[in-house]
Amino acid sequence: MTAITLNSINKRFGPVHVLKDISLQFDKGEFVVLVGPSGCGKSTLLRMIAGLEPVSSGDMIFGDTRVNDLEPRERDIAMVFQSYALYPHMNVERNLGFSLELRKRAAAEKKDRTSHAAGILGLDKLLDRFPKALSGGQRQRVAMGRAIVRDPQIFLFDEPLSNLDAALRIEMRIEIAKLHQRLGTTMVYVTHDQVEAMTLADRIVVMNAGQVEQVGTPLDLYSNPANLFVAGFLGSPKMNFVAHDDAALNLPSSLTNPSAQTYGIRPEHIKVTAPDDTAHLVGTIDVVERLGSDTIFYINHGATKPFVVRVPGIDRTAIGEKIGCQFQPEDLHLFDQNGQAISEHKNG
Amino acid sequence: MQKTAFPIGAVLRYFAIALYVLFALFPIYWLVKIAVTPDRLIYTEGTQIWPSNFTLDNFVSVLFLTDFLVYFKNSMIVSLGTAFFTTLVATAAGYAFSRFHFRGKTIIIALMLITQMFPLLMIIAPIYKIMAGLRLLDSLTGLIIVYTAFNVPFATFLMQGFFDGIPKDLEEAAMIDGCTRFEALRKVIFPLTLPGLAATLGFIFTAAWSELLFALMLINSDAKMTFPVGLKTFVSKFAVDWGQMMAAGTLALIPSCLFFILIQRFLVKGLTAGAVKG
Ligand SMILES: Nc1ncnc2c1ncn2[C@@H]1O[C@H](COP(=O)(O)OP(=O)(O)OP(=O)(O)O)[C@@H](O)[C@H]1O
Ligand SMILES: [Mg+2]
């Protein structure tokens, strides 16, 4: 069953065309993550789903109700803001229960649901505190709690973890994953963080400049990016792109394709070999980063951008050494002159 | 031996503050001093810091023998009325300027700024004419209307500033939580604007309380005089009754002081602390 349908949604701020013909369908209970570079329109799209931003044209449909003209409060959604947006003049308990207060729910029910939410998020001891007396992580949890007491049809998150430090971020990421498992509610989540996107999402929507580049499961996008943009956007370190006429490239004809302009290969899919004829690419090591778990080589092969290689474990190969790189055919991504992936290269 | 560090910086700081407070409060001290000095000593001991004798006679005669209470009541009506209506209009306008985009917004703001640029003397004649046409001369209502019109632009900018300081996310969160826009304003934004409201109310109240020029022009009967105009009646053709005038002045300070004591707890800053990650 579909929870949200976007039908050729457009958004204009005056002359600025921010979202262009977005059509998407999110299933009930699905965890959808929106990713894309800064300014591509993720927040705008989320705010349009929330009803905070009017739709310029197109249909926004929840279930089978068109909601274009419904106020936020009529949409049965909850939203967690990047800035938390806690009510500073209310204590944690009232912050959590404010939506129930507005719906004139009985005091007992309110108490019940706020303390349940507080329990899930470990806020039991903070119910009397005011937001100014909370740490960033605690504020974030209150913001989250405010959403879960509602038991809404749809949860919306706009970079909810981006203000937290790394450790807290991981902790909250797991909390959110557990929350989704427990509630099974449809969630739409905006993030900049690749790990959040890959780990939380049932499906990822990659956006760029107001358009949808690709929609798919995390591993689908990782293994079969539809174009150069998606290929370069997901994955860290980024996928290497090598022009088809790069002199350092030495691909056997079984791997090449006449219409391929660019070859892409992920740093983690490269085998380091001797710099001889069997290598698919040869270069000298410019920089080495040893992370303990991995070693990352930045290889100069004559192009402006270094060729990045990631090998597991600690590798002692030193700077200045010449090495060769080998790829498996199935790991090689081919793109035509329009930047679109060529998928049939394995047969040709 | 324990080192008794003499915090010379702190001492200097306090000294500077004390000096400033002394400077600022001295006129008020002088006002009160003359008010409690018996009439016969005012000229003989005129410049003495401390009078040799005290009396409350001036207060008694001001309260019971002059029209002071009438002026006081009129001033109260006009100032409270002006403060109330100005703040009401300025709050609505300030919110609109802060939150909505609409056609002609910049023009309206520019017009409001322009109204602040004319010297009062230049427009007093046209105002007089308008008020005469409306039969609002010599009426407190007329005075309230004029004061409100004059104070609304500044008060609007003041309120807009306070609304701008409240993150938009808050009312959006409230609207998602189930508020209408108006409820969000009333339940979330309004409580956070209290310092701003208090400051605006206080500012407009004092401005109206001490306004002389318009009151002088638009009011002529004794029964409608506000306090600043009424003060003039202590100046007769041949003498100035300084003692009574100062006593009246002292009494006139009380409402402003009370008003500020009343609202000062709202004037504290930092009400929005903790709302959003800074
Ligand atoms: N009120 C507005 N008026 C005009 N342009 C706007 C307005 N709000 C957003 N935009 C523009 O719309 C585009 C998309 O903004 P949006 O906030 O959705 O980006 P985003 O993808 O969320 O970026 P980020 O990752 O930085 O949060 C931006 O180019 C922005 O400048
Ligand atoms: Mg954003």
Side-chain angles (χ1 to χ4, degrees), chain A residues 331-348:
Chain A
D331 292 331
L332 204 58
H333 300 268
L334 278 65
F335 302 94
D336 64 18
Q337 73 271 27
N338 300 320
Q340 299 300 313
I342 304 169
S343 45
E344 60 276 43
H345 70 276
K346 279 157 206 163
N347 320 330

mmCIF file with all atom_site columns, all heavy atoms in Angstrom, chain A residues 331-348:
data_model
loop_
_atom_site.group_PDB
_atom_site.id
_atom_site.type_symbol
_atom_site.label_atom_id
_atom_site.label_alt_id
_atom_site.label_comp_id
_atom_site.label_asym_id
_atom_site.label_entity_id
_atom_site.label_seq_id
_atom_site.pdbx_PDB_ins_code
_atom_site.Cartn_x
_atom_site.Cartn_y
_atom_site.Cartn_z
_atom_site.occupancy
_atom_site.B_iso_or_equiv
_atom_site.pdbx_formal_charge
_atom_site.auth_seq_id
_atom_site.auth_comp_id
_atom_site.auth_asym_id
_atom_site.auth_atom_id
_atom_site.pdbx_PDB_model_num
ATOM 1   N N   . ASP A 1 331 ? 33.030 -5.275 -11.249 1.00 0.00 ? 331 ASP A N   1
ATOM 2   C CA  . ASP A 1 331 ? 33.127 -4.075 -10.428 1.00 0.00 ? 331 ASP A CA  1
ATOM 3   C C   . ASP A 1 331 ? 33.305 -2.804 -11.256 1.00 0.00 ? 331 ASP A C   1
ATOM 4   O O   . ASP A 1 331 ? 33.289 -1.701 -10.726 1.00 0.00 ? 331 ASP A O   1
ATOM 5   C CB  . ASP A 1 331 ? 34.314 -4.191 -9.456  1.00 0.00 ? 331 ASP A CB  1
ATOM 6   C CG  . ASP A 1 331 ? 34.071 -5.251 -8.403  1.00 0.00 ? 331 ASP A CG  1
ATOM 7   O OD1 . ASP A 1 331 ? 32.884 -5.478 -8.073  1.00 0.00 ? 331 ASP A OD1 1
ATOM 8   O OD2 . ASP A 1 331 ? 35.050 -5.847 -7.922  1.00 0.00 ? 331 ASP A OD2 1
ATOM 9   N N   . LEU A 1 332 ? 33.503 -2.992 -12.531 1.00 0.00 ? 332 LEU A N   1
ATOM 10  C CA  . LEU A 1 332 ? 33.760 -1.847 -13.399 1.00 0.00 ? 332 LEU A CA  1
ATOM 11  C C   . LEU A 1 332 ? 32.435 -1.217 -13.848 1.00 0.00 ? 332 LEU A C   1
ATOM 12  O O   . LEU A 1 332 ? 31.507 -1.914 -14.256 1.00 0.00 ? 332 LEU A O   1
ATOM 13  C CB  . LEU A 1 332 ? 34.549 -2.328 -14.618 1.00 0.00 ? 332 LEU A CB  1
ATOM 14  C CG  . LEU A 1 332 ? 35.383 -1.301 -15.355 1.00 0.00 ? 332 LEU A CG  1
ATOM 15  C CD1 . LEU A 1 332 ? 36.396 -0.644 -14.432 1.00 0.00 ? 332 LEU A CD1 1
ATOM 16  C CD2 . LEU A 1 332 ? 36.080 -1.974 -16.526 1.00 0.00 ? 332 LEU A CD2 1
ATOM 17  N N   . HIS A 1 333 ? 32.329 0.108  -13.686 1.00 0.00 ? 333 HIS A N   1
ATOM 18  C CA  . HIS A 1 333 ? 31.114 0.818  -14.108 1.00 0.00 ? 333 HIS A CA  1
ATOM 19  C C   . HIS A 1 333 ? 31.430 1.620  -15.359 1.00 0.00 ? 333 HIS A C   1
ATOM 20  O O   . HIS A 1 333 ? 32.428 2.330  -15.395 1.00 0.00 ? 333 HIS A O   1
ATOM 21  C CB  . HIS A 1 333 ? 30.632 1.760  -13.008 1.00 0.00 ? 333 HIS A CB  1
ATOM 22  C CG  . HIS A 1 333 ? 30.305 1.054  -11.731 1.00 0.00 ? 333 HIS A CG  1
ATOM 23  N ND1 . HIS A 1 333 ? 29.042 0.592  -11.430 1.00 0.00 ? 333 HIS A ND1 1
ATOM 24  C CD2 . HIS A 1 333 ? 31.088 0.702  -10.673 1.00 0.00 ? 333 HIS A CD2 1
ATOM 25  C CE1 . HIS A 1 333 ? 29.053 0.013  -10.233 1.00 0.00 ? 333 HIS A CE1 1
ATOM 26  N NE2 . HIS A 1 333 ? 30.285 0.062  -9.756  1.00 0.00 ? 333 HIS A NE2 1
ATOM 27  N N   . LEU A 1 334 ? 30.569 1.485  -16.372 1.00 0.00 ? 334 LEU A N   1
ATOM 28  C CA  . LEU A 1 334 ? 30.804 2.198  -17.628 1.00 0.00 ? 334 LEU A CA  1
ATOM 29  C C   . LEU A 1 334 ? 29.737 3.274  -17.821 1.00 0.00 ? 334 LEU A C   1
ATOM 30  O O   . LEU A 1 334 ? 28.553 3.037  -17.552 1.00 0.00 ? 334 LEU A O   1
ATOM 31  C CB  . LEU A 1 334 ? 30.747 1.220  -18.809 1.00 0.00 ? 334 LEU A CB  1
ATOM 32  C CG  . LEU A 1 334 ? 31.998 0.395  -19.109 1.00 0.00 ? 334 LEU A CG  1
ATOM 33  C CD1 . LEU A 1 334 ? 32.313 -0.565 -17.980 1.00 0.00 ? 334 LEU A CD1 1
ATOM 34  C CD2 . LEU A 1 334 ? 31.818 -0.358 -20.422 1.00 0.00 ? 334 LEU A CD2 1
ATOM 35  N N   . PHE A 1 335 ? 30.165 4.448  -18.252 1.00 0.00 ? 335 PHE A N   1
ATOM 36  C CA  . PHE A 1 335 ? 29.221 5.545  -18.462 1.00 0.00 ? 335 PHE A CA  1
ATOM 37  C C   . PHE A 1 335 ? 29.398 6.116  -19.861 1.00 0.00 ? 335 PHE A C   1
ATOM 38  O O   . PHE A 1 335 ? 30.528 6.283  -20.328 1.00 0.00 ? 335 PHE A O   1
ATOM 39  C CB  . PHE A 1 335 ? 29.446 6.644  -17.421 1.00 0.00 ? 335 PHE A CB  1
ATOM 40  C CG  . PHE A 1 335 ? 29.302 6.148  -16.004 1.00 0.00 ? 335 PHE A CG  1
ATOM 41  C CD1 . PHE A 1 335 ? 30.418 5.724  -15.282 1.00 0.00 ? 335 PHE A CD1 1
ATOM 42  C CD2 . PHE A 1 335 ? 28.058 6.085  -15.410 1.00 0.00 ? 335 PHE A CD2 1
ATOM 43  C CE1 . PHE A 1 335 ? 30.286 5.255  -13.990 1.00 0.00 ? 335 PHE A CE1 1
ATOM 44  C CE2 . PHE A 1 335 ? 27.914 5.611  -14.107 1.00 0.00 ? 335 PHE A CE2 1
ATOM 45  C CZ  . PHE A 1 335 ? 29.031 5.197  -13.389 1.00 0.00 ? 335 PHE A CZ  1
ATOM 46  N N   . ASP A 1 336 ? 28.277 6.425  -20.519 1.00 0.00 ? 336 ASP A N   1
ATOM 47  C CA  . ASP A 1 336 ? 28.356 6.975  -21.873 1.00 0.00 ? 336 ASP A CA  1
ATOM 48  C C   . ASP A 1 336 ? 28.607 8.478  -21.828 1.00 0.00 ? 336 ASP A C   1
ATOM 49  O O   . ASP A 1 336 ? 28.818 9.049  -20.757 1.00 0.00 ? 336 ASP A O   1
ATOM 50  C CB  . ASP A 1 336 ? 27.082 6.634  -22.663 1.00 0.00 ? 336 ASP A CB  1
ATOM 51  C CG  . ASP A 1 336 ? 25.833 7.270  -22.060 1.00 0.00 ? 336 ASP A CG  1
ATOM 52  O OD1 . ASP A 1 336 ? 25.974 8.232  -21.274 1.00 0.00 ? 336 ASP A OD1 1
ATOM 53  O OD2 . ASP A 1 336 ? 24.725 6.799  -22.368 1.00 0.00 ? 336 ASP A OD2 1
ATOM 54  N N   . GLN A 1 337 ? 28.561 9.136  -23.014 1.00 0.00 ? 337 GLN A N   1
ATOM 55  C CA  . GLN A 1 337 ? 28.943 10.552 -23.044 1.00 0.00 ? 337 GLN A CA  1
ATOM 56  C C   . GLN A 1 337 ? 27.965 11.442 -22.291 1.00 0.00 ? 337 GLN A C   1
ATOM 57  O O   . GLN A 1 337 ? 28.283 12.571 -21.954 1.00 0.00 ? 337 GLN A O   1
ATOM 58  C CB  . GLN A 1 337 ? 29.135 11.041 -24.498 1.00 0.00 ? 337 GLN A CB  1
ATOM 59  C CG  . GLN A 1 337 ? 27.863 11.207 -25.291 1.00 0.00 ? 337 GLN A CG  1
ATOM 60  C CD  . GLN A 1 337 ? 27.465 9.912  -26.004 1.00 0.00 ? 337 GLN A CD  1
ATOM 61  O OE1 . GLN A 1 337 ? 27.801 8.801  -25.565 1.00 0.00 ? 337 GLN A OE1 1
ATOM 62  N NE2 . GLN A 1 337 ? 26.732 10.031 -27.090 1.00 0.00 ? 337 GLN A NE2 1
ATOM 63  N N   . ASN A 1 338 ? 26.748 10.928 -21.984 1.00 0.00 ? 338 ASN A N   1
ATOM 64  C CA  . ASN A 1 338 ? 25.794 11.708 -21.196 1.00 0.00 ? 338 ASN A CA  1
ATOM 65  C C   . ASN A 1 338 ? 25.895 11.408 -19.706 1.00 0.00 ? 338 ASN A C   1
ATOM 66  O O   . ASN A 1 338 ? 25.090 11.871 -18.912 1.00 0.00 ? 338 ASN A O   1
ATOM 67  C CB  . ASN A 1 338 ? 24.365 11.427 -21.648 1.00 0.00 ? 338 ASN A CB  1
ATOM 68  C CG  . ASN A 1 338 ? 24.166 11.793 -23.103 1.00 0.00 ? 338 ASN A CG  1
ATOM 69  O OD1 . ASN A 1 338 ? 24.678 12.820 -23.553 1.00 0.00 ? 338 ASN A OD1 1
ATOM 70  N ND2 . ASN A 1 338 ? 23.474 10.941 -23.839 1.00 0.00 ? 338 ASN A ND2 1
ATOM 71  N N   . GLY A 1 339 ? 26.869 10.589 -19.357 1.00 0.00 ? 339 GLY A N   1
ATOM 72  C CA  . GLY A 1 339 ? 27.026 10.263 -17.945 1.00 0.00 ? 339 GLY A CA  1
ATOM 73  C C   . GLY A 1 339 ? 26.094 9.164  -17.470 1.00 0.00 ? 339 GLY A C   1
ATOM 74  O O   . GLY A 1 339 ? 26.027 8.881  -16.282 1.00 0.00 ? 339 GLY A O   1
ATOM 75  N N   . GLN A 1 340 ? 25.350 8.550  -18.413 1.00 0.00 ? 340 GLN A N   1
ATOM 76  C CA  . GLN A 1 340 ? 24.444 7.474  -18.011 1.00 0.00 ? 340 GLN A CA  1
ATOM 77  C C   . GLN A 1 340 ? 25.189 6.141  -17.994 1.00 0.00 ? 340 GLN A C   1
ATOM 78  O O   . GLN A 1 340 ? 26.064 5.902  -18.816 1.00 0.00 ? 340 GLN A O   1
ATOM 79  C CB  . GLN A 1 340 ? 23.258 7.379  -18.991 1.00 0.00 ? 340 GLN A CB  1
ATOM 80  C CG  . GLN A 1 340 ? 22.407 8.637  -19.050 1.00 0.00 ? 340 GLN A CG  1
ATOM 81  C CD  . GLN A 1 340 ? 21.799 8.981  -17.702 1.00 0.00 ? 340 GLN A CD  1
ATOM 82  O OE1 . GLN A 1 340 ? 21.240 8.134  -17.012 1.00 0.00 ? 340 GLN A OE1 1
ATOM 83  N NE2 . GLN A 1 340 ? 21.948 10.255 -17.308 1.00 0.00 ? 340 GLN A NE2 1
ATOM 84  N N   . ALA A 1 341 ? 24.816 5.289  -17.059 1.00 0.00 ? 341 ALA A N   1
ATOM 85  C CA  . ALA A 1 341 ? 25.481 3.997  -16.947 1.00 0.00 ? 341 ALA A CA  1
ATOM 86  C C   . ALA A 1 341 ? 25.148 3.119  -18.148 1.00 0.00 ? 341 ALA A C   1
ATOM 87  O O   . ALA A 1 341 ? 24.022 3.125  -18.640 1.00 0.00 ? 341 ALA A O   1
ATOM 88  C CB  . ALA A 1 341 ? 25.050 3.303  -15.662 1.00 0.00 ? 341 ALA A CB  1
ATOM 89  N N   . ILE A 1 342 ? 26.158 2.391  -18.611 1.00 0.00 ? 342 ILE A N   1
ATOM 90  C CA  . ILE A 1 342 ? 25.928 1.402  -19.667 1.00 0.00 ? 342 ILE A CA  1
ATOM 91  C C   . ILE A 1 342 ? 25.875 0.061  -18.959 1.00 0.00 ? 342 ILE A C   1
ATOM 92  O O   . ILE A 1 342 ? 26.847 -0.359 -18.339 1.00 0.00 ? 342 ILE A O   1
ATOM 93  C CB  . ILE A 1 342 ? 27.089 1.403  -20.681 1.00 0.00 ? 342 ILE A CB  1
ATOM 94  C CG1 . ILE A 1 342 ? 27.271 2.813  -21.245 1.00 0.00 ? 342 ILE A CG1 1
ATOM 95  C CG2 . ILE A 1 342 ? 26.846 0.387  -21.777 1.00 0.00 ? 342 ILE A CG2 1
ATOM 96  C CD1 . ILE A 1 342 ? 28.546 2.972  -22.045 1.00 0.00 ? 342 ILE A CD1 1
ATOM 97  N N   . SER A 1 343 ? 24.717 -0.588 -18.997 1.00 0.00 ? 343 SER A N   1
ATOM 98  C CA  . SER A 1 343 ? 24.589 -1.770 -18.143 1.00 0.00 ? 343 SER A CA  1
ATOM 99  C C   . SER A 1 343 ? 24.960 -3.062 -18.853 1.00 0.00 ? 343 SER A C   1
ATOM 100 O O   . SER A 1 343 ? 25.270 -4.050 -18.206 1.00 0.00 ? 343 SER A O   1
ATOM 101 C CB  . SER A 1 343 ? 23.165 -1.857 -17.597 1.00 0.00 ? 343 SER A CB  1
ATOM 102 O OG  . SER A 1 343 ? 22.261 -1.619 -18.650 1.00 0.00 ? 343 SER A OG  1
ATOM 103 N N   . GLU A 1 344 ? 24.984 -3.050 -20.206 1.00 0.00 ? 344 GLU A N   1
ATOM 104 C CA  . GLU A 1 344 ? 25.165 -4.320 -20.904 1.00 0.00 ? 344 GLU A CA  1
ATOM 105 C C   . GLU A 1 344 ? 26.628 -4.651 -21.184 1.00 0.00 ? 344 GLU A C   1
ATOM 106 O O   . GLU A 1 344 ? 26.925 -5.537 -21.954 1.00 0.00 ? 344 GLU A O   1
ATOM 107 C CB  . GLU A 1 344 ? 24.338 -4.355 -22.206 1.00 0.00 ? 344 GLU A CB  1
ATOM 108 C CG  . GLU A 1 344 ? 24.670 -3.300 -23.221 1.00 0.00 ? 344 GLU A CG  1
ATOM 109 C CD  . GLU A 1 344 ? 23.958 -1.993 -22.937 1.00 0.00 ? 344 GLU A CD  1
ATOM 110 O OE1 . GLU A 1 344 ? 23.907 -1.576 -21.763 1.00 0.00 ? 344 GLU A OE1 1
ATOM 111 O OE2 . GLU A 1 344 ? 23.443 -1.391 -23.876 1.00 0.00 ? 344 GLU A OE2 1
ATOM 112 N N   . HIS A 1 345 ? 27.546 -3.901 -20.532 1.00 0.00 ? 345 HIS A N   1
ATOM 113 C CA  . HIS A 1 345 ? 28.950 -4.087 -20.879 1.00 0.00 ? 345 HIS A CA  1
ATOM 114 C C   . HIS A 1 345 ? 29.456 -5.478 -20.546 1.00 0.00 ? 345 HIS A C   1
ATOM 115 O O   . HIS A 1 345 ? 30.408 -5.952 -21.122 1.00 0.00 ? 345 HIS A O   1
ATOM 116 C CB  . HIS A 1 345 ? 29.829 -3.033 -20.195 1.00 0.00 ? 345 HIS A CB  1
ATOM 117 C CG  . HIS A 1 345 ? 29.950 -3.211 -18.717 1.00 0.00 ? 345 HIS A CG  1
ATOM 118 N ND1 . HIS A 1 345 ? 29.020 -2.725 -17.846 1.00 0.00 ? 345 HIS A ND1 1
ATOM 119 C CD2 . HIS A 1 345 ? 30.900 -3.820 -17.962 1.00 0.00 ? 345 HIS A CD2 1
ATOM 120 C CE1 . HIS A 1 345 ? 29.395 -3.008 -16.607 1.00 0.00 ? 345 HIS A CE1 1
ATOM 121 N NE2 . HIS A 1 345 ? 30.530 -3.681 -16.649 1.00 0.00 ? 345 HIS A NE2 1
ATOM 122 N N   . LYS A 1 346 ? 28.808 -6.126 -19.592 1.00 0.00 ? 346 LYS A N   1
ATOM 123 C CA  . LYS A 1 346 ? 29.308 -7.439 -19.192 1.00 0.00 ? 346 LYS A CA  1
ATOM 124 C C   . LYS A 1 346 ? 29.132 -8.465 -20.311 1.00 0.00 ? 346 LYS A C   1
ATOM 125 O O   . LYS A 1 346 ? 29.886 -9.409 -20.425 1.00 0.00 ? 346 LYS A O   1
ATOM 126 C CB  . LYS A 1 346 ? 28.590 -7.912 -17.927 1.00 0.00 ? 346 LYS A CB  1
ATOM 127 C CG  . LYS A 1 346 ? 29.199 -7.282 -16.675 1.00 0.00 ? 346 LYS A CG  1
ATOM 128 C CD  . LYS A 1 346 ? 28.212 -7.279 -15.533 1.00 0.00 ? 346 LYS A CD  1
ATOM 129 C CE  . LYS A 1 346 ? 28.533 -6.149 -14.585 1.00 0.00 ? 346 LYS A CE  1
ATOM 130 N NZ  . LYS A 1 346 ? 27.421 -5.843 -13.716 1.00 0.00 ? 346 LYS A NZ  1
ATOM 131 N N   . ASN A 1 347 ? 28.091 -8.225 -21.133 1.00 0.00 ? 347 ASN A N   1
ATOM 132 C CA  . ASN A 1 347 ? 27.881 -9.149 -22.238 1.00 0.00 ? 347 ASN A CA  1
ATOM 133 C C   . ASN A 1 347 ? 28.759 -8.769 -23.421 1.00 0.00 ? 347 ASN A C   1
ATOM 134 O O   . ASN A 1 347 ? 29.219 -9.619 -24.153 1.00 0.00 ? 347 ASN A O   1
ATOM 135 C CB  . ASN A 1 347 ? 26.411 -9.141 -22.692 1.00 0.00 ? 347 ASN A CB  1
ATOM 136 C CG  . ASN A 1 347 ? 25.470 -9.054 -21.516 1.00 0.00 ? 347 ASN A CG  1
ATOM 137 O OD1 . ASN A 1 347 ? 25.804 -9.529 -20.429 1.00 0.00 ? 347 ASN A OD1 1
ATOM 138 N ND2 . ASN A 1 347 ? 24.326 -8.439 -21.721 1.00 0.00 ? 347 ASN A ND2 1
ATOM 139 N N   . GLY A 1 348 ? 28.951 -7.477 -23.638 1.00 0.00 ? 348 GLY A N   1
ATOM 140 C CA  . GLY A 1 348 ? 29.688 -7.034 -24.800 1.00 0.00 ? 348 GLY A CA  1
ATOM 141 C C   . GLY A 1 348 ? 31.123 -6.993 -24.490 1.00 0.00 ? 348 GLY A C   1
ATOM 142 O O   . GLY A 1 348 ? 32.050 -7.116 -25.188 1.00 0.00 ? 348 GLY A O   1
#
